[in-house]
Amino acid sequence: MPEQYTENPLTAGINIKHAPQPCTLVIFGGGGDLTRRKLLPAIYNQGLEGELPANFAVLGFAIEAMDDEEYRKFARKGVEEFSRQPLDANYWPGFERCLHYLQGSFDNPDIYNKLKERLAEIEGNFGIPGNRVFYLAIPPALIETCVCQLKAAGLVMPVDGNSPFSRIIVEKPIGKDLESARKVNATLSDNFDEQQIYRIDHYLGKETVQNILAMRFANSIFEPLWNSKYIDHVQITVAEAEGVGTRAGYYDKAGALRDMIQNHILQLLTLIAMEPPWIMDADVIRDHRQDILNCLRPITAENFDQHVVRAQYGPGFHHGEDVPGYRRENGVAQDSITETFVALKMFIDNWRWSGVPFYIRTGKRMPKRASEIAIQFKSVPPILFNTSHDVPLEPNVLALSIQPNEGLSLRIATKLPGVKLKIFPVKMDFRYGATFGEQSPEAYERLLLDVMAGDATLFMRRDSVESSWAWIDNILNLWSSNRTRWIPEYAAGTWGPIEADRLIESDNRQWRML
Ligand code: BG6
């Protein structure tokens, strides 16, 4: 029986977060998919839990023709379909009053005057002191237009300690390589101060990902072992069962390296590998994460083959049904060599991690949705219990399961009960659901509140976006210098190509079975 969480009055008050401030959330692309599936349900859930600021409103802004009433219906549908908690008929009527809509084209300067008027009216009705969060839930090509228009319309307040705040949230992808990312960042910083910019990476808002810091730095037993002396290697897997779905237009130009590794997975890696920060301060923590990006060993033409594998899913199975290969998906070029799977061997060339390989793999159409970070410790010496060459003892593994079952487990060797001395690996398991008895908030719930509170810890700073691209660009360039139109294939519903197994097996290690 797992130990159940009961609130302890002594620790219940430990809250290192700032409170969200009164504000209006303006969603550019307020009629789109991200808003319907993620943003509006996230706001609803936080409202239901009493976490939103008392003075708060939403203004959806998009091209689709809707009025406030229709927008509330649109939001209700999104909540009914995608919310973590079911729609509460008693709470909804009060909640929906804070939802508003403005229809218009983002490149029309006049609409920004209307936006100003609407904001003034809403702020008057809701007692909001002019604080605004602009969420760009729009295709990357529109970022420049929206950002420049906001500035031109006088909607960006200075960071001077007296003015209400103006903050902007930008979704990935930020660029498609270093050069384009720099351009996006330059546009942002021509119009906003870096303190006002929140580059969202929803992986950083996931509960288990946030728990990495707590696990490492709120316990005394892990940190002394957290280095090359005791750790054999680290594996990060982000596997998805779904295929490209309806996103081929974007994905076929991006591929798994840009889509998952440049952002989500490199950010996970930095949290696992960073040095201990001395204070929960956004810039201190981001400086420490940045240090890791600075130490990534570059991929070069010489080490490329031993460090990088890409592949694309072919026809196969998903939940027992036949599914087409990637090139047969709607919207994908028939001769596409876009990778839907990547495996990497990476090294962090600093004192702590010297010589410790980090094996990374991510892919679509894998057997199941499963994301995990596993820290494999070194084996005990071949003495006492570990003397058999044929059956070596299984080493200790600390596994952080990010999704779908959030939790943490530690594999340890124990003696099998009985008169014989036999060693057996067992798992000490902690599952969020079982211990805390409730579903964790979705990443967007947490991240939106953080922006309202002015806490940028879980957002990407300009330098980290650019360093990640600089590292990724090496691989992209090496791929594009190889003119072949061939890419290894793996059957949909499998764990990737044989080349990925070779990458790790050539080091006498194996991918974990998830
Ligand atoms: C997005 C990628 O950033 O993350 C998608 O663009 C991917 O391709 C998604 O499917 C995965 O997110 P999650 O939270 O479902 O693991």
Side-chain angles (χ1 to χ4, degrees), residues 38 171-173 201-203 206 238-240 242-244 247 250-251 258-260 263-264 364 369 371 402-403 442-444:
K38 297 286 183 192
E171 271 286 336
K172 69 172 263 272
D201 181 323
H202 77 279
Y203 265 62
K206 290 183 189 272
V238 179
E240 295 184 86
E242 297 302 319
V244 66
R247 296 170 68 230
Y250 150 74
Y251 194 87
R258 290 187 175 98
D259 186 48
M260 295 298 289
N263 36 70
H264 307 322
K364 293 204 183 283
R369 179 170 189 247
S371 300
I402 295 167
Q403 56 195 24
E442 291 251 340
Y444 280 98

Side-chain angles (χ1 to χ4, degrees), residues 173-364:
I174 297 186
K176 60 180 178 51
D177 54 20
L178 178 58
E179 195 189 333
S180 51
R182 278 190 177 141
K183 276 197 193 135
V184 177
N185 280 333
T187 304
L188 288 170
S189 58
D190 285 348
N191 296 287
F192 284 82
D193 190 280
E194 181 66 28
Q195 287 177 55
Q196 298 173 305
I197 305 170
Y198 292 76
R199 298 175 191 81
I200 205 161
D201 181 323
H202 77 279
Y203 265 62
L204 292 176
K206 290 183 189 272
E207 193 70 30
T208 331
V209 173
Q210 294 167 47
N211 196 33
I212 295 173
L213 289 188
M215 184 204 64
R216 287 189 59 194
F217 306 125
N219 293 292
S220 61
I221 59 172
F222 298 120
E223 209 45 33
L225 308 179
W226 215 253
N227 56 52
S228 60
K229 186 160 180 209
Y230 298 102
I231 292 180
D232 178 74
H233 75 275
V234 177
Q235 287 189 29
I236 303 180
T237 302
V238 179
E240 295 184 86
E242 297 302 319
V244 66
T246 53
R247 296 170 68 230
Y250 150 74
Y251 194 87
D252 204 35
K253 291 194 200 77
L257 187 72
R258 290 187 175 98
D259 186 48
M260 295 298 289
I261 298 203
Q262 183 271 335
N263 36 70
H264 307 322
I265 294 182
L266 287 186
Q267 290 299 319
L268 295 183
L269 180 93
T270 62
L271 286 170
I272 285 293
M274 70 194 250
E275 293 301 314
W278 62 90
I279 185 174
M280 283 302 272
D281 170 89
D283 273 321
V284 172
I285 291 181
R286 295 190 299 176
D287 285 345
H288 283 62
R289 298 211 310 256
Q290 177 62 27
D291 286 344
I292 296 299
L293 296 173
N294 293 341
C295 301
L296 292 182
R297 185 182 300 173
I299 301 287
T300 61
E302 287 68 45
N303 65 21
F304 187 76
D305 288 343
Q306 298 80 47
H307 288 69
V308 183
V309 167
R310 65 171 161 171
Q312 188 184 76
Y313 65 81
F317 295 98
H318 173 56
H319 293 161
E321 305 271 318
D322 284 335
V323 288
Y326 177 72
R327 290 179 187 184
R328 290 294 162 102
E329 300 273 24
N330 277 339
V332 172
Q334 286 192 0
D335 62 348
S336 169
I337 53 162
T338 298
E339 78 286 356
T340 60
F341 173 96
V342 176
L344 299 173
K345 176 159 76 164
M346 300 175 65
F347 286 95
I348 298 168
D349 285 333
N350 67 8
W351 196 280
R352 182 189 284 263
W353 295 110
S354 175
V356 178
F358 285 70
Y359 299 98
I360 312 289
R361 62 181 163 159
T362 184
K364 293 204 183 283

